[in-house]
Amino acid sequence: MMKKIIIVFSLMCFAMASFGQGFLHRDGQKIVDGNGKNIVLRGLGVGGWMVQEGYMIQTGAFAGPQYKIKQKITDLIGEKGTEEFYKAYKANGITKRDIDSLAAWGFNSIRLPMHYNLYTPAIETEKDGQITWLEEGFRMTDDLLNWCAANKIYLILDLHATPGGQGKDAAISDYDDSKPSLWESAANQDKMVALWKKLAQRYKDSPWIGGYDIINEPNWNFTGTNQNGCDETSNAPLKALQVRLTNAIRAIDPHHMIIIEGNCWGNNYNGMFPLWDENMALSFHKYWNQNDVASIQTMLNYRTQYNVPIWLGESGENSNVWFEEAISLMESNNIGWAFWPMKKIENLAGVTSVTKAPDYDKLLDYWKNGGEKPNSDFAKKVLMQTAENYKMKHLTIRYDVIDAMFRQVQTNDTKKYKNHVAPGKVFATEFDLGQNGFAYSDKDVANYDGTKFTQWNKGGKMRNDGVDIVACTDKITNGFQVSFIEEGEWLQFTVDVKKQSTFHVAIRYSSEKAGGKLHLEQDGKKISEITELPVTGGETLWKTIVLKNVALKQGMNKIRVHFEGGNFNLNFLEFKTAK
C-alpha cells in the first residue's frame, strides 16, 4: 500500500512540475491549462510573415514559392535592394500593435508559420555538413512571444517551411523541385530535428508557448499515386519522422504539447496510430466544404478512439457565413481553431487587408507578361511602399469578419454597421452586421465546394458577407454599390429616427434590364408599396425614384429593403421628411 502511495505521490509531483507553470497540455480528449481548465483555442495564423506565399501578394500565377518571389524582386532591384525590402517587410509584418489588436478582438492564440531558413541556412550553403544557426528567426520568435505573453495569448510554433520542403504544393513550404525535398534527403531531416531541438531548448520553460506544430501540411506521395499523399495507406516515412522529432523534443522539453498533422495537407492519418506520446494533439485543416458534423466525423472518431484532443489548425479563405458556421461547429464540439491568414494584399476574407501600393500592378504585369522592364528606383519605391503598408496603422480592418468570427457565433442578433440617422442618406453597402437571414438575405453566401469556388461576393469589395458589392461609378457614392441583385433577396438597415415622422424615401439605382422591384418592410409588415424600377439605360446611368409617405417611429428602426425583382444596382436610400 505504501509503495502505491509513493508512486501516486511521485506522479502528482511530476504533473505539478510539468504543468504547474500553466503549460497547455492534453487531458484525455481536452486541451487544458495548468489549472486543468478547458481551453478552446481561438486563433489566427500569421501567414506571409516568415513564409511568403505568392497568392498573398498577388504573384501566385507566376511565382508561388518564396524563392521564386525573391528571384523576381532581385531581378528588378538587385540583391542589396531586395535585402532592404525584406528587412522592412519583416519588421512591419507583425508588430506589438498587431498582437495587441488581435487580443482586443478576442483571439487567445496565434499560430506562427515559420520558415526554417530564418533559423538555419540551407544544407547546400553550409560547410562540412555542419549545422549552423541564424539569430534572425529566433529574435523574431522571441519578440512575438513577448508580445503574446503580455496579452495572455498562447503562441503555437508551426514549422511551415521545412528544410527541402515537405510537399508538392510548393508555395506552402517554399519547395524547390530542383533540389532534394525533406523526404529525399537525410541531411534535411537531420537539420529539421536539430532545429526542433534548438527551439525546444530555447522555449522549454515558456508557459505562453501553446505547443509545437512540428510539420505543417505534409503533402507527398510515398507509395500512392496522388502526388499530395491523399491516397497513402501507411504514411510510414511521415510517422517515422514525427516520432523521431517527438523523441528529440522530449529529451529536452517534457512540458509542451506536441501537435501532429497527417498527410494530404494535414488530413490523411492512415498509418499514424497508435500514438506515441502522452501529451499530444491531432491537427486537421478544413477548407471549402460543408459545415456539418459529417465534415469532421473522421477526426471526431479519432478523438474518441485514441483519447486525444483535436484542433482545427488552419481554416479560412471563405465568407463570413462560412466562418460563423465553421466556428460554431468547432466550438459546439469543443474544438479549438486557428484561421488564416492575418494579412494579405486586398484581403476580403480576413481580419485585415493590406492596401495595394500605387503602381504595384505595373510590377505584377512585368513579372507576368514581360515587356519593358521597370526602372530599378521606381520598382524599389513601389516595393518599399508595399512593405510600409503592412504596418497596422495602414491596414483596413475588416470588422465584419471579426463580428462573424466572435459575436455572430454567439447570437443571431443584428448590429448596426454604422450610425444611420433619418432624415439622412443610407448607403446600400452599409447594411447591418449579422448572419444571413437576419441582417440580409442572399442566395450565394459561401464556397462549399473546392472544385467550383463559388463567389459569395461577386465584386469582392468592402465586405465579406454574402452580398455582392462592386465599385460604384455614381457621382454621389461611398465608393461602392450592391449589385447582382436577385429576386427574393433583402438588406436590413438600422436607422435612428429622432422624431416620429413620415418620410419620402429616395432610391438611387441603375439598370439596363427590366425587372427591378422593391419595397420597404419593418417588423414583418410592409411600410411601402411594391415599386417597379424603370430601366435607366445602363449599369452606370443612375436615377432616383421616390417611395412616398413611409411612416417611422421614434428611435431605432430596423428597416428591410426587399427585392421583388432583380437586375439592378443599388447605391443608397435617402430619408427626407415629408412636407
Side-chain angles (χ1 to χ4, degrees):
M1 182 67 181
M2 182 59 67
K3 184 177 181 180
K4 288 184 179 181
I5 293 173
I6 291 171
I7 292 172
V8 171
F9 180 76
S10 298
L11 291 172
M12 290 175 61
C13 289
F14 173 78
M16 291 174 65
S18 297
F19 308 126
Q21 297 182 60
F23 295 103
L24 285 189
H25 61 281
R26 165 189 167 267
D27 181 4
Q29 298 175 27
K30 299 183 296 183
I31 295 174
V32 301
D33 65 12
N35 297 316
K37 179 184 177 182
N38 183 68
I39 299 295
V40 176
L41 293 170
R42 299 179 175 96
L44 197 67
V46 289
W49 184 39
M50 287 187 166
V51 188
Q52 281 182 320
E53 295 183 37
Y55 85 99
M56 294 186 189
I57 58 171
Q58 300 188 350
T59 67
F62 51 86
Q66 181 171 278
Y67 79 91
K68 289 187 177 181
I69 299 168
K70 194 170 183 178
Q71 287 171 356
K72 296 288 186 184
I73 293 173
T74 305
D75 172 62
L76 281 181
I77 63 175
E79 291 187 5
K80 183 178 179 182
T82 300
E83 185 178 336
E84 290 180 42
F85 164 73
Y86 275 101
K87 182 178 179 180
Y89 178 88
K90 286 179 283 193
N92 300 340
I94 298 295
T95 66
K96 183 179 184 300
R97 183 172 175 180
D98 292 299
I99 307 309
D100 293 345
S101 298
L102 292 178
W105 297 336
F107 293 96
N108 66 7
S109 56
I110 287 172
R111 182 171 178 252
L112 173 63
M114 304 180 296
H115 198 308
Y116 83 92
N117 69 9
L118 291 171
Y119 302 84
T120 182
I123 55 172
E124 60 266 22
T125 66
E126 297 195 281
K127 298 179 180 179
D128 304 322
Q130 296 296 311
I131 295 176
T132 56
W133 302 104
L134 305 172
E135 185 58 27
E136 183 179 18
F138 295 104
R139 177 185 51 76
M140 292 169 71
T141 309
D142 288 348
D143 288 343
L144 180 56
L145 178 57
N146 288 334
W147 302 331
C148 286
N151 283 287
K152 297 183 178 179
I153 283 179
Y154 291 105
L155 177 61
I156 295 169
L157 303 184
D158 151 41
L159 192 52
H160 218 77
T162 69
Q166 67 270 24
K168 298 286 177 61
D169 193 346
I172 293 172
S173 62
D174 199 18
Y175 169 57
D176 181 349
D177 62 7
S178 70
K179 300 174 182 178
S181 72
L182 175 70
W183 309 110
E184 297 164 324
S185 166
N188 278 332
Q189 294 187 22
D190 290 345
K191 180 175 277 287
M192 184 178 177
V193 172
L195 174 56
W196 271 116
K197 289 172 68 175
K198 196 79 169 178
L199 291 165
Q201 185 64 48
R202 195 175 186 104
Y203 301 116
K204 61 186 176 68
D205 297 320
S206 301
W208 289 108
I209 291 289
Y212 302 139
D213 189 351
I214 55 178
I215 178 169
N216 174 70
E217 289 191 343
N219 58 101
W220 194 270
N221 56 315
F222 301 115
T223 59
T225 58
N226 180 276
Q227 71 166 2
N228 301 115
C230 298
D231 62 354
E232 293 293 325
T233 57
S234 69
N235 287 308
L238 175 58
K239 180 173 183 178
L241 180 57
Q242 297 204 76
V243 170
R244 183 184 173 194
L245 289 166
T246 303
N247 291 337
I249 291 169
R250 285 290 178 249
I252 298 166
D253 181 352
H255 304 315
H256 286 105
M257 185 168 60
I258 289 176
I259 301 165
I260 64 169
E261 301 186 28
N263 208 340
C264 188
W265 296 283
N267 296 306
N268 178 353
Y269 275 89
N270 291 333
M272 300 298 288
F273 303 105
L275 298 176
W276 54 91
D277 188 81
E278 290 299 312
N279 190 19
M280 184 177 283
L282 308 183
S283 174
F284 66 103
H285 294 185
K286 179 177 168 63
Y287 285 99
W288 313 311
N289 55 17
Q290 294 292 325
N291 288 311
D292 53 20
V293 172
S295 70
I296 60 170
Q297 189 61 60
T298 298
M299 296 306 300
L300 292 173
N301 292 343
Y302 290 153
R303 178 169 70 177
T304 302
Q305 184 175 357
Y306 299 105
N307 194 34
V308 64
I310 57 177
W311 174 56
L312 177 57
E314 196 179 298
S315 188
E317 304 290 8
N318 217 311
S319 71
N320 289 342
V321 171
W322 197 93
F323 291 172
E324 181 276 318
E325 290 176 349
I327 292 171
S328 294
L329 175 66
M330 294 307 118
E331 298 204 359
S332 65
N333 285 281
N334 194 34
I335 302 171
W337 46 271
F339 270 58
W340 179 271
M342 181 178 179
K343 298 183 184 181
K344 186 171 69 173
I345 292 177
E346 296 187 329
N347 187 16
L348 189 72
V351 297
T352 72
S353 176
V354 178
T355 301
K356 185 186 289 186
D359 295 318
Y360 186 68
D361 281 332
K362 293 181 180 178
L363 304 190
L364 295 178
D365 182 63
Y366 168 73
W367 284 332
K368 184 177 181 180
N369 302 313
E372 185 177 353
K373 186 175 182 178
N375 175 275
S376 177
D377 291 339
F378 168 82
K380 184 177 178 182
K381 182 179 179 181
V382 173
L383 288 165
M384 294 306 289
Q385 184 61 56
T386 298
E388 174 69 18
N389 287 354
Y390 272 77
K391 290 181 179 177
M392 174 59 77
K393 66 180 181 180
H394 298 311
L395 300 177
T396 298
I397 300 172
R398 302 291 189 195
Y399 289 106
D400 59 298
V401 175
I402 298 167
D403 188 71
M405 296 176 77
F406 290 97
R407 190 188 65 85
Q408 291 178 36
V409 172
Q410 305 299 324
T411 179
N412 56 27
D413 290 346
T414 60
K415 180 181 178 182
K416 62 184 179 182
Y417 181 86
K418 189 176 180 180
N419 289 328
H420 296 304
V421 178
K425 191 177 294 180
V426 177
F427 288 104
T429 55
E430 295 172 351
F431 56 91
D432 287 353
L433 294 166
Q435 299 174 8
N436 184 47
F438 294 89
Y440 64 92
S441 180
D442 197 276
K443 294 181 179 179
D444 295 318
V445 295
N447 174 28
Y448 294 108
D449 186 340
T451 65
K452 295 180 180 178
F453 287 96
T454 302
Q455 288 183 285
W456 57 90
N457 180 337
K458 293 184 177 68
K461 301 294 184 182
M462 186 176 167
R463 296 176 64 169
N464 195 44
D465 300 299
V467 176
D468 303 306
I469 298 176
V470 304
C472 187
T473 61
D474 196 4
K475 60 184 178 181
I476 312 168
T477 178
N478 67 341
F480 305 100
Q481 68 195 40
V482 174
S483 297
F484 304 100
I485 293 170
E486 297 185 49
E487 180 181 350
E489 296 179 338
W490 51 263
L491 302 171
Q492 177 179 287
F493 303 89
T494 298
V495 180
D496 185 5
V497 178
K498 297 302 181 183
K499 181 181 179 181
Q500 182 173 323
S501 304
T502 299
F503 296 89
H504 296 331
V505 184
I507 306 294
R508 186 74 168 173
Y509 74 100
S510 70
S511 62
E512 62 179 0
K513 295 181 181 179
K517 296 180 183 179
L518 57 74
H519 74 270
L520 305 184
E521 188 174 290
Q522 186 176 37
D523 300 327
K525 298 178 181 179
K526 290 180 182 178
I527 56 174
S528 79
E529 297 297 323
I530 296 175
T531 302
E532 185 172 342
L533 306 178
V535 173
T536 67
E539 297 284 337
T540 61
L541 297 176
W542 295 86
K543 290 186 177 180
T544 301
I545 194 168
V546 178
L547 311 181
K548 293 189 174 181
N549 301 318
V550 176
L552 297 178
K553 63 186 179 182
Q554 182 178 356
M556 293 297 177
N557 291 253
K558 291 187 181 292
I559 301 167
R560 292 183 177 179
V561 183
H562 278 260
F563 306 127
E564 299 289 337
N567 299 323
F568 68 98
N569 307 302
L570 184 60
N571 183 354
F572 63 77
L573 301 76
E574 186 170 9
F575 294 82
K576 301 179 181 179
T577 305
K579 297 182 180 178

